Amino acid sequence: MKRIQKMSPHLSNKIAAGEVIESPASVIKELVENSIDANSTQIQVEIEGGGRRSLKISDNGDGIHPDDIPLIFERHATSKLLKDEDLSHIASLGFRGEALASIAAVSKVQLLSRVMALPTGFKIQLLRGETFHQETIAANPGTTLIIEDLFYNLPGRKKFLKSEKSLNRDIHEVMNHFALSHPDIQFNYVNEGRLIFNTPGGNDLPGVIYTLYGRELFEHLLAFETQIGDVQITGYASDLGYYRGNRSLQYLFVNRRYVENRILLDSLNEAYRALIPGHKFPVFFLYLSVDPGVVDVNVHPSKLVVKIEGEEGIGLELSGTFREELYRKESHSRGVIAKEPTPPANAPREISTETIQPPLYDQLSLKETRGVKERQEIQTLSRHILDRNQEAARDKYQVFRNLNYVGQVLGTYLIFEKERAVFFIDQHAAHEKILYEGFMKRYATDSLDSQGLVTPEILGLSHEEIRLIENRMQDFSRFGYDLEIFGPSDLLVRGIPSLFTLDQAKTLLVELLDNYRQEDYRYEKLTEEAIIQHSCKKAIKGNSRIEPLEVEKLLEDLMTLEDPLTCPHGRPLIVELSSRELEKIFYRIQR
Ligand SMILES: Nc1ncnc2c1ncn2[C@@H]1O[C@H](COP(=O)(O)OP(=O)(O)O)[C@@H](O)[C@H]1O
Ligand SMILES: [Mg+2]
């Protein structure tokens, strides 16, 4: 390993400044990155008190030479990046030479290290960045850092830190990222003395996924490998029989670094659209290998958000390839083999790259599809309504006229009779659609209402986020936020969109920020998504009783809608079962 040197001030100024150390999770991120950079094959992380009380990171890497001791905790002292040109070709993870300095300034630090070449190691202890103890010790090669009482001298920061539970959640996520991005390293993660995971190492990525997420998910994974232009893409993705309620299991790694890139993730989600239920999300572990020169990692101080040259094109092609693969899988399982054999551990199924034509049902806007059989049933039942509407488009309200309410079943479906048919309305979907169109109309005509908070909330954000908000103040107020910048890292929230609860409004604010970080975000699309989500949460839940009077009102409202036939996610909200179909079900007639 190279020895530590100070960078030129010219270079250090070039590097995105910013608070590296925002939370225990970010400390762990920096320290584990250091261990990785030091060629470790085993890294152990031990946490107490959400990382605020203590953090211990031990590795079996190259170690630090005792002659470098005076430089370790110096700002901009690094062994990793010394020439200006290096900045555009960053291969190692750390590159700012300020992590240890920043951490030492806000905590009590002990550092133990030994290089292989020397018979002994050293231990130093620091407080407020000043060394107060140093000794020679016997130790195995490698480095251990113990950080205690993080932010002890920054009471302000401590106050804005999240609950221990959410600190642990963030740390866990950071550890997941490392385990997934470095299957060659054996990670051992212990929290409050409890082993959380111990990955196998030895480049066994399937083994890592199995260790982190268990068998259920593992058995639904498809392996893939493809090349788009100069970008090598490999990874695992869930098949159509497995999905999650949010995007949290959608991972992207570029050159073995966990990153966020909406464009690529969105395009992968797009590949599953209409193949799994709306509001559900596939799982993927996507690994891109690209020339470091085409990745801009310096976008954000936390080094998470990257831009990749040509990412739109890559996303499009990736989405297309994926969709074909998924169709292919789907059409196979419709054949003789109803159930595929369980793959042996550590060997997810391969999918080849040959392509097939998407089946016709892609043209139908039916989204609820757990299995093919179920899909076909839904298709038969709702075809009448959608077809009738599509070809004729004469009177989309016709179906709702003169419906005779029979009752509610399963606490969710309203049953009606008319002429020689039975009609089912999904009460949740119907109500959701009514709310949705209402909101959209209000939003289109003017801005959303704001609701003042009795006690304004102070949100602690990063400098960069505060700057973003400052630049987007108009967008936020159009949305119904009443915000005031209260310092370099504090935001005063005086009012929130009246559509939302405070918690939702805070989440949305952060989501908006994430989106604004991308240059090509689409404000309108985002707004629509937020409104869909909100309508969904606010709508009458499935599984609740409804009075006949409310049913009447629901029908009336449906007849005022622009599009009364599908829910905001595109699923049918009314389904018809003709007497003929009933007769078929009872075999009173043949086909
Ligand atoms: N676990 C470790 N093993 C070996 N060397 C380390 C380790 N942690 C830190 N170092 C040394 O300390 C230097 C400073 O670390 P840091 O402040 O994180 O800056 P950077 O990682 O950007 O160089 C590193 O360049 C490296 O030489
Ligand atoms: Mg570092």
Side-chain angles (χ1 to χ4, degrees):
M1 189 161 188
K2 285 190 204 161
R3 300 286 297 274
I4 306 180
Q5 278 177 263
K6 273 202 96 153
M7 308 177 192
S8 69
H10 174 65
L11 177 58
S12 60
N13 288 338
K14 251 190 170 179
I15 295 172
E19 289 176 60
V20 198
I21 305 309
E22 293 178 324
S23 64
S26 61
V27 171
I28 290 171
K29 183 161 176 285
E30 293 295 331
L31 298 183
V32 172
E33 283 180 353
N34 283 343
S35 296
I36 293 172
D37 287 343
N39 304 307
S40 309
T41 56
Q42 283 177 358
I43 300 175
Q44 171 157 32
V45 176
E46 289 175 66
I47 306 297
E48 268 167 34
R52 273 181 296 197
R53 196 160 62 245
S54 85
L55 295 163
K56 180 176 169 190
I57 284 98
S58 321
D59 68 48
N60 66 347
D62 297 336
I64 299 172
H65 197 281
D67 294 350
D68 285 342
I69 293 175
L71 280 173
I72 303 171
F73 295 96
E74 281 271 318
R75 219 163 264 281
H76 302 308
T78 177
S79 55
K80 299 168 195 171
L81 169 76
L82 295 164
K83 297 190 302 287
D84 278 20
E85 309 86 79
D86 284 350
L87 201 51
S88 52
H89 295 276
I90 294 152
S92 64
L93 294 165
F95 58 88
R96 267 182 265 93
E98 57 182 345
L100 288 186
S102 310
I103 294 166
V106 295
S107 65
K108 297 168 189 163
V109 176
Q110 293 180 58
L111 169 67
L112 292 77
S113 192
R114 185 197 136 192
V115 292
M116 183 73 94
L118 296 177
T120 55
F122 63 86
K123 170 177 169 179
I124 55 175
Q125 284 177 277
L126 296 91
L127 189 65
R128 281 182 200 274
E130 301 291 329
T131 309
F132 69 87
H133 179 79
Q134 180 173 336
E135 62 179 311
T136 300
I137 54 162
N140 289 328
T143 304
T144 295
L145 263 149
I146 301 167
I147 313 293
E148 285 169 310
D149 293 336
L150 191 59
F151 305 131
Y152 77 101
N153 53 351
L154 285 184
R157 163 78 64 179
K158 215 166 177 173
K159 199 170 111 205
F160 289 117
L161 274 179
K162 307 179 197 167
S163 68
E164 193 166 310
K165 198 168 147 212
S166 91
L167 292 177
N168 279 324
R169 209 182 309 126
D170 293 351
I171 291 170
H172 196 152
E173 199 48 23
V174 165
M175 290 306 298
N176 285 344
H177 296 164
F178 280 123
L180 288 166
S181 59
H182 291 82
D184 51 326
I185 297 173
Q186 191 191 329
F187 284 97
N188 187 272
Y189 170 37
V190 173
N191 194 314
E192 304 289 344
R194 212 162 53 92
L195 175 72
I196 307 294
F197 62 69
N198 192 2
T199 61
N203 241 334
D204 177 10
L205 178 57
V208 171
I209 296 177
Y210 195 107
T211 305
L212 299 186
Y213 305 105
R215 194 173 61 102
E216 172 68 11
L217 180 146
F218 182 81
E219 285 181 349
H220 282 283
L221 288 181
L222 306 167
F224 58 87
E225 185 166 0
T226 181
Q227 168 110 20
I228 298 176
D230 292 334
V231 182
Q232 183 68 34
I233 300 173
T234 60
Y236 299 92
S238 53
D239 61 24
L240 300 181
Y242 188 96
Y243 37 76
R244 307 280 291 219
N246 60 36
R247 294 167 191 261
S248 61
L249 290 194
Q250 303 191 337
Y251 291 104
L252 174 63
F253 302 91
V254 174
N255 295 348
R256 305 218 303 168
R257 182 197 295 268
Y258 167 79
V259 298
E260 283 168 17
N261 180 303
R262 279 279 165 109
I263 297 199
L264 289 176
L265 291 190
D266 281 355
S267 55
L268 263 185
N269 277 304
E270 188 59 25
Y272 285 78
R273 198 174 53 82
L275 297 176
I276 60 174
H279 265 2
K280 300 290 175 204
F281 300 90
V283 172
F284 31 78
F285 306 97
L286 184 65
Y287 294 79
L288 267 62
S289 164
V290 302
D291 174 356
V294 306
V295 191
D296 185 0
V297 281
N298 216 14
V299 176
H300 184 260
S302 76
K303 297 184 283 177
L304 276 181
V305 183
V306 301
K307 275 185 84 72
I308 299 161
E309 239 170 73
E311 56 194 14
E312 285 87 0
I314 298 170
L316 264 177
E317 199 170 328
L318 194 61
S319 172
T321 310
F322 246 80
R323 206 169 168 77
E324 279 162 11
E325 296 293 353
L326 290 168
Y327 274 126
R328 211 177 60 77
K329 288 308 279 185
E330 184 81 335
S331 58
H332 272 198
S333 58
R334 215 184 322 178
V336 218
I337 313 163
K339 202 165 180 297
E340 297 199 15
T342 318
N346 302 350
R349 286 160 278 165
E350 294 292 327
I351 53 178
S352 87
T353 45
E354 71 186 66
T355 60
I356 57 138
Q357 277 306 102
L360 272 177
Y361 57 68
D362 189 28
Q363 271 114 52
L364 278 173
S365 65
L366 294 176
K367 302 202 170 180
E368 195 73 69
T369 54
R370 204 155 205 280
V372 175
K373 188 158 171 290
E374 228 171 296
R375 186 214 311 280
Q376 282 165 343
E377 277 161 13
I378 296 169
Q379 194 178 328
T380 339
L381 290 176
S382 54
R383 190 189 293 132
H384 302 276
I385 313 239
L386 293 175
D387 280 1
R388 190 186 294 166
N389 184 51
Q390 255 166 20
E391 71 196 32
R394 288 182 304 257
D395 183 358
K396 53 193 170 194
Y397 307 111
Q398 179 56 38
V399 62
F400 297 103
R401 293 210 178 92
N402 308 318
L403 285 178
N404 294 314
Y405 182 53
V406 178
Q408 186 203 43
V409 285
L410 305 175
T412 306
Y413 305 102
L414 309 177
I415 301 188
F416 303 85
E417 190 185 347
K418 178 166 85 169
E419 287 149 20
R420 302 221 8 100
V422 183
F423 292 82
F424 296 81
I425 289 182
D426 176 335
Q427 73 185 40
H428 172 75
H431 192 219
E432 183 180 84
K433 186 58 177 284
I434 293 164
L435 291 174
Y436 168 75
E437 280 203 11
F439 290 142
M440 286 310 276
K441 248 182 229 146
R442 258 198 291 160
Y443 180 73
T445 47
D446 61 334
S447 40
L448 295 175
D449 295 337
S450 181
Q451 158 199 343
L453 294 177
V454 184
T455 346
E457 280 265 316
I458 295 178
L459 287 184
L461 300 171
S462 74
H463 293 196
E464 180 250 13
E465 286 167 331
I466 295 285
R467 249 181 290 123
L468 268 175
I469 293 175
E470 212 161 21
N471 296 336
R472 299 275 176 196
M473 220 32 140
Q474 257 182 336
D475 283 352
F476 279 103
S477 48
R478 182 158 172 230
F479 223 108
Y481 284 100
D482 182 0
L483 306 174
E484 192 184 312
I485 309 288
F486 208 60
S489 58
D490 287 322
L491 179 72
L492 195 62
V493 185
R494 294 186 180 285
I496 56 170
S498 50
L499 290 179
F500 302 115
T501 65
L502 181 58
D503 275 349
Q504 287 175 335
K506 281 200 231 164
T507 316
L508 184 65
L509 190 125
V510 174
E511 259 171 49
L512 287 166
L513 283 173
D514 286 343
N515 275 271
Y516 292 157
R517 284 207 186 89
Q518 297 202 181
E519 278 161 29
D520 54 346
Y521 79 100
R522 291 226 324 271
Y523 180 67
E524 306 303 330
K525 183 163 176 261
L526 187 72
T527 310
E528 186 178 330
E529 269 168 22
I531 290 177
I532 291 186
Q533 256 187 30
H534 183 73
S535 327
C536 181
K537 284 197 188 115
K538 206 155 179 166
I540 321 170
K541 292 279 167 297
N543 254 328
S544 60
R545 290 271 138 222
I546 182 168
E547 297 296 321
L549 262 178
E550 293 176 280
V551 175
E552 217 167 285
K553 174 85 172 67
L554 198 72
L555 285 179
E556 256 172 49
D557 288 346
L558 281 172
M559 309 249 284
T560 66
L561 296 184
E562 218 34 35
D563 168 20
L565 296 174
T566 56
C567 83
H569 313 286
R571 293 191 293 268
L573 54 80
I574 180 164
V575 150
E576 174 183 348
L577 196 57
S578 66
S579 62
R580 222 184 125 69
E581 269 156 337
L582 275 171
E583 281 161 3
K584 270 195 245 165
I585 291 173
F586 287 104
Y587 294 110
R588 293 167 70 113
I589 55 169
Q590 308 292 327
R591 307 249 106 218

